[in-house]
Amino acid sequence: MNGKPEDGKPEDGKPEGVTATERLSGVVETVRFFNPESGFSVLRIANDEEDPLVTVVGCIASVSPGQHVEALGRWQDDRNWGRQFKAESLSVIAPESREGMERYLASGMLKGVGPHLASLMMSAWGTDVFQIIETDPERLRDIPGIGPKKQALIVESWREHQAVREIMMFLQSHGVGTTRALKIYKVYGADSIGAINRDPYRLSRDIAGIGFRTADAIAQSIGIAADSPLRARAGMSWVLQELSSKGHCRVPEPMLLDAARQLLQIPDSVLEEALQVECAAGRIVAVLEGEERYCYLEYLWKAEQGVVEGIRRIAGGKLPWGRLDVERSVTEAEERSRLELSVSQREAVRLALSNKLLIITGGPGVGKTTIIRTLLSIPEVFGLKVLLTAPTGRAAKRLSEATGREGRTIHRLLEFDPATFDFKRSAHNPLEADLVIVDEASMIDVVLMNRLLPAIPKNAALILAGDVDQLPPVGPGAVLSDLISSGTVRVVRLTEIFRQAATSLIIQNAHRVNRGEGLLRHEGPGLGDFYFVESSSSDDIRRKLVQIVAERIPERFGLDPLDDIQVLTPMNRGPLGAESLNVLLQERLNGGGGKRIERFGVAYGRGDKVIQTVNNYEKEVFNGDIGIISAIDHEEGELQVLFDGREVRYQTGELDEMAPAWAITIHKSQGSEYPAVVIPLSMLHYPMLERNLIYTALTRGRKLVMVIGEEKALRLAVGKCSSKGRLTGLADALKGHVH
């Protein structure tokens, strides 16, 4: 390991507290921590000799055990972690020694190369191996096990890493250590550096994980002035993009200008001109409502207008079942299904038969599914083409189980085509349907709703069912809430709890939370379905949570920790966040999972529970889908995940698309139900404690809900209903107020 100062002078003899920049290189033994968003890493590295392992902290695009890294930085003594090397620049390098080269190849750095192929390649070519990949790649075919397909994969992977290294060097030369070089390369290709030089602000628009401040730092480094029109326009769009990531669609113009002023610190005249230019270019749309001007990102304006058009078109068509005796049909359906509907449920079925477009909303236990089942049993409807859909795979599966008909996710219903990266179903190729029923509609954001509605034929009926009091969609907009508040769509609000559900403390407490009331507790010797376990410190909550998930619930309720129990937490970070709890639960529940694949700072083993964190249309796996790792191939650097009985294959380089799922955030649980839910709750979660968050968490549990934590945090969350509605224009547009 090389640890000499760059100027060649020994460290001994320097004045105390003064350190020169040093260069440190070695092999990564362990990735202690890696954050794929920021690239911040804590690595244990060693060289090929007998030096002890040292700790290196810094930012890097990606890293795996076995890779060689080079760091420029200084030694420091950290109060908590001891002596460590703090890297200002940290990058993966090609090693020079024979053993180092073999470890580099075997690390999974190159797609398709594992330990066995690495050994064969080194035996054949020794230290010339990298030069052969670079200049004479046809010779790769001489190695047993490498055919044309694998050869192309290895060469492409090698060139990709070389290009990424150049981008990293370019970015670091401008004072920015980014973790997104690979994504930059995939978006801009060989022209990456030229594209950044022409408009560095495009990074914040095009590359996930690169914000405006990072792009701004590069821009200033290459000489773009602080008050340049390019910077002002980019900042204006960035403010709107940030607000859309919080769920907003439109922003009052004064609010937008004020936020841009705070971000950019440049004169109002420059900002106002920038806004005019962005509007003229069509990137921002400004609309007038009364005396107020509102600003949208173009795609969100188009999405809202598309939803308005879709709602009006569907509502204005003819009923697919024609005219029928509604009262008699409802009575016969009750008799046929042997269900006695409540007054509100009968009204819901009656309205569904009388309206092209209907919203059914209500909390748990009020019988939304019973209404759908009853409706489907009416002969005039039964003989028609009915499509059932929901935003998530789990919600679609529940809908199928409840109705006995196939339920599909919206993405599958619209037939996403990976070749064109678009849906096959649209206004030009509509769905073949007479009735479309959408469950968990509160989860649908304005962009997805704008893709669904045009694909529904004009003469088909549409029923949207959902709980408007749950958390709003992850994406922009609040479509279900806006449709209800617009007053332009018929709505059935169900409030009466079914008799068989009224005895459930889960359902009673969910409704009590929604009303801001205190929670009921289980009393008596028998088993209940809701428990609150008092705990006063984060360490105690963690200890009790692991014990309850691993021992108490399985022993007392006969539920399996892997298949039946889901930990839901308000936050991702912190001692009671999903990241920290996953480490604890993985060790306790699958500590003997055998040899693991470590990637992006997380170790995955056979039997681990994982969650997909982005939509992958090619694999047909979507954000929020939970699966179990069923097999790992260390030689090929692959693993297989079982999603609802379907095997899906991942390369190690794709593992940034997933995360451990022993514990997930409450937001990620939307649209899903689990036999048992365990919820840690602490004042550490203070920023997130809101009524609709707790309400959503409670309604995810089917047989059992356990809350472990502080009484004070629970009271605060139930009493806090301060979240302001999302800034959208859909309700006003439906009323015809927007120009």
Side-chain angles (χ1 to χ4, degrees):
M1 178 159 46
N2 180 357
K4 293 180 181 179
E6 285 219 281
D7 59 8
K9 295 177 183 177
E11 193 171 3
D12 297 338
K14 293 191 302 290
E16 189 175 350
V18 176
T19 55
T21 298
E22 296 185 55
R23 185 187 304 274
L24 191 70
S25 63
V27 178
V28 178
E29 291 288 334
T30 309
V31 179
R32 286 275 181 85
F33 178 80
F34 179 78
N35 182 339
E37 292 304 315
S38 65
F40 179 75
S41 308
V42 180
L43 312 176
R44 294 285 283 169
I45 72 172
N47 70 347
D48 299 323
E49 299 170 11
E50 296 180 359
D51 290 349
L53 294 176
V54 297
T55 300
V56 175
V57 296
C59 291
I60 192 167
S62 65
V63 65
S64 297
Q67 292 177 348
H68 275 245
V69 294
E70 182 176 82
L72 294 177
R74 294 177 174 82
W75 288 98
Q76 66 175 16
D77 290 307
D78 186 273
R79 184 187 305 173
N80 297 316
W81 308 108
R83 190 161 175 77
Q84 55 185 217
F85 191 84
K86 187 172 184 181
E88 295 164 4
S89 165
L90 183 60
S91 56
V92 175
I93 60 170
E96 296 177 358
S97 72
R98 181 186 177 96
E99 185 182 347
M101 287 181 172
E102 185 165 345
R103 291 188 69 177
Y104 177 91
L105 288 171
S107 70
M109 188 77 171
L110 296 183
K111 293 174 185 172
V113 178
H116 178 64
L117 274 185
S119 177
L120 293 178
M121 291 164 73
M122 292 305 301
S123 296
W125 302 312
T127 54
D128 293 334
V129 64
F130 294 157
Q131 186 179 350
I132 286 169
I133 296 172
E134 179 78 36
T135 61
D136 196 5
E138 289 296 322
R139 291 179 63 187
L140 287 169
R141 303 272 292 279
D142 297 340
I143 303 294
I146 299 182
K149 194 173 179 181
K150 184 161 283 192
Q151 176 203 343
L153 188 67
I154 294 169
V155 171
E156 180 192 0
S157 182
W158 173 263
R159 288 175 180 162
E160 191 174 81
H161 283 294
Q162 298 302 98
V164 168
R165 180 167 167 77
E166 287 181 23
I167 298 167
M168 289 290 290
M169 291 172 65
F170 169 77
L171 293 172
Q172 287 168 359
S173 73
H174 291 290
V176 179
T178 180
T179 68
R180 295 302 171 216
L182 182 57
K183 287 192 175 182
I184 292 171
Y185 174 75
K186 284 181 176 176
V187 172
Y188 306 135
D191 188 40
S192 294
I193 293 172
I196 295 168
N197 270 320
R198 288 190 294 273
D199 179 7
Y201 292 106
R202 67 186 301 173
L203 290 170
S204 63
R205 297 191 296 270
D206 300 341
I207 312 296
I210 294 185
F212 178 82
R213 294 188 189 283
T214 300
D216 200 31
I218 298 172
Q220 291 185 39
S221 177
I222 63 178
I224 293 176
D227 62 350
S228 90
L230 178 66
R231 181 171 184 260
R233 295 199 305 272
M236 196 71 64
S237 291
W238 172 254
V239 168
L240 277 178
Q241 190 63 54
E242 279 291 276
L243 288 165
S244 76
S245 71
K246 295 174 183 174
H248 304 302
C249 292
R250 71 172 188 179
V251 179
E253 187 177 298
M255 178 179 169
L256 172 60
L257 290 169
D258 185 55
R261 189 182 306 114
Q262 291 182 41
L263 174 71
L264 302 172
Q265 301 292 308
I266 56 179
D268 285 2
S269 58
V270 180
L271 293 175
E272 288 165 4
E273 184 178 345
L275 179 56
Q276 288 179 12
V277 172
E278 288 294 279
C279 288
R283 287 184 286 268
I284 293 177
V285 176
V287 298
L288 196 62
E289 183 186 333
E291 299 297 314
E292 287 268 16
R293 259 180 37 120
Y294 292 90
C295 298
Y296 289 81
L297 288 172
E298 180 204 22
Y299 82 98
L300 290 176
W301 162 252
K302 286 183 174 177
E304 271 198 3
Q305 292 305 299
V307 171
V308 171
E309 165 60 26
I311 291 294
R312 288 176 177 164
R313 181 180 58 82
I314 293 168
K318 295 179 180 179
L319 282 167
W321 40 79
R323 299 180 66 179
L324 70 156
D325 187 331
V326 172
E327 293 300 332
R328 193 182 76 180
S329 295
V330 175
T331 301
E332 288 178 353
E334 278 188 289
E335 292 171 356
R336 192 177 302 107
S337 58
R338 296 182 181 178
L339 289 172
E340 186 180 342
L341 300 180
S342 68
V343 174
S344 59
Q345 287 175 325
R346 280 184 65 90
E347 176 66 4
V349 176
R350 190 182 68 77
L351 287 173
L353 292 172
S354 309
N355 289 272
K356 280 290 302 306
L357 180 56
L358 181 70
I359 293 173
I360 303 172
T361 187
V366 295
K368 294 188 293 294
T369 307
T370 301
I371 293 168
I372 294 170
R373 279 208 311 265
T374 304
L375 189 63
L376 293 176
S377 72
I378 292 171
E380 288 85 353
V381 175
F382 185 81
L384 299 178
K385 176 73 172 175
V386 180
L387 297 178
L388 304 178
T389 188
T392 68
R394 282 176 176 259
K397 188 178 179 182
R398 287 205 334 267
L399 191 57
S400 296
E401 291 166 352
T403 60
R405 297 196 183 206
E406 183 190 11
R408 284 176 280 176
T409 63
I410 295 173
H411 291 89
R412 288 199 177 100
L413 185 76
L414 298 180
E415 300 175 26
F416 186 82
D417 182 5
T420 61
F421 214 74
D422 202 357
F423 294 113
K424 292 180 181 177
R425 296 293 184 173
S426 65
H428 305 294
N429 180 30
L431 296 162
E432 293 155 14
D434 299 302
L435 171 62
V436 178
I437 298 175
V438 185
D439 200 13
E440 296 286 357
S442 64
M443 293 181 63
I444 305 175
D445 63 43
V446 70
V447 176
L448 184 57
M449 187 64 87
N450 184 40
R451 302 309 302 271
L452 173 63
L453 294 179
I456 297 174
K458 180 177 180 179
N459 289 327
L462 173 63
I463 295 175
L464 300 172
D467 186 349
V468 78
D469 294 317
Q470 284 190 34
L471 289 167
V474 174
V479 176
L480 189 67
S481 175
D482 285 347
L483 290 176
I484 293 171
S485 63
S486 74
T488 60
V489 179
R490 292 301 297 264
V491 178
V492 175
R493 291 181 182 271
L494 301 172
T495 56
E496 183 181 348
I497 303 175
F498 262 14
R499 282 194 298 273
Q500 58 265 43
T503 58
S504 164
L505 277 185
I506 295 174
I507 289 174
Q508 289 184 63
N509 280 330
H511 287 275
R512 290 178 71 87
V513 165
N514 217 11
R515 297 192 297 266
E517 299 171 1
L519 273 61
L520 302 173
R521 310 297 166 88
H522 173 69
E523 296 177 359
L527 294 178
D529 66 355
F530 178 87
Y531 294 85
F532 179 81
V533 181
E534 179 77 38
S535 186
S536 57
S537 71
S538 60
D539 285 344
D540 190 48
I541 294 172
R542 284 157 62 93
R543 182 183 61 78
K544 286 179 176 174
L545 183 143
V546 171
Q547 184 185 32
I548 282 170
V549 171
E551 299 171 20
R552 289 182 60 187
I553 293 179
E555 289 169 5
R556 295 195 66 194
F557 295 87
L559 297 174
D560 182 76
L562 185 67
D563 296 325
D564 300 329
I565 305 171
Q566 185 61 57
V567 175
L568 303 180
T569 180
M571 299 173 75
N572 218 13
R573 305 285 168 81
L576 293 173
E579 290 179 357
S580 177
L581 293 176
N582 269 312
V583 174
L584 281 179
L585 290 165
Q586 182 194 49
E587 179 60 34
R588 180 68 175 81
L589 297 170
N590 199 33
K595 189 179 178 184
R596 299 181 182 275
I597 281 184
E598 188 171 332
R599 198 69 171 165
F600 303 107
V602 179
Y604 295 99
R606 188 172 178 273
D608 275 347
K609 186 191 289 192
V610 293
I611 185 169
Q612 181 78 10
T613 56
V614 297
N615 289 335
N616 187 318
Y617 299 100
E618 291 189 52
K619 297 183 190 295
E620 289 196 342
V621 184
F622 302 103
N623 192 355
D625 287 354
I626 288 180
I628 308 295
I629 296 176
S630 56
I632 293 181
D633 186 334
H634 292 275
E635 178 59 41
E636 292 295 327
E638 293 180 346
L639 54 78
Q640 289 183 11
V641 182
L642 200 61
F643 290 101
D644 283 328
R646 187 171 65 94
E647 292 263 346
V648 180
R649 189 179 298 270
Y650 288 81
Q651 298 284 334
T652 53
E654 298 174 309
L655 294 185
D656 59 342
E657 292 187 4
M658 67 170 60
W662 304 99
I664 62 174
T665 63
I666 296 168
H667 282 83
K668 284 285 186 190
S669 74
Q670 285 178 269
S672 298
E673 264 191 5
Y674 314 94
V677 164
V678 179
I679 307 162
L681 209 57
S682 159
M683 292 304 290
L684 291 175
H685 298 134
Y686 180 82
M688 301 295 295
L689 295 180
E690 285 271 351
R691 184 180 298 172
N692 62 358
L693 187 84
I694 302 303
Y695 175 75
T696 300
L698 295 188
T699 55
R700 301 307 89 202
R702 194 163 62 245
K703 297 178 181 177
L704 177 67
V705 171
M706 277 198 179
V707 180
I708 308 169
E710 301 173 48
E711 181 80 47
K712 181 182 178 183
L714 180 60
R715 283 200 311 270
L716 176 68
V718 172
K720 191 176 174 188
C721 193
S722 60
S723 28
K724 297 172 184 173
R726 293 186 167 186
L727 300 172
T728 71
L730 181 57
D732 288 324
L734 284 163
K735 295 173 188 173
H737 292 174
V738 178
H739 305 287

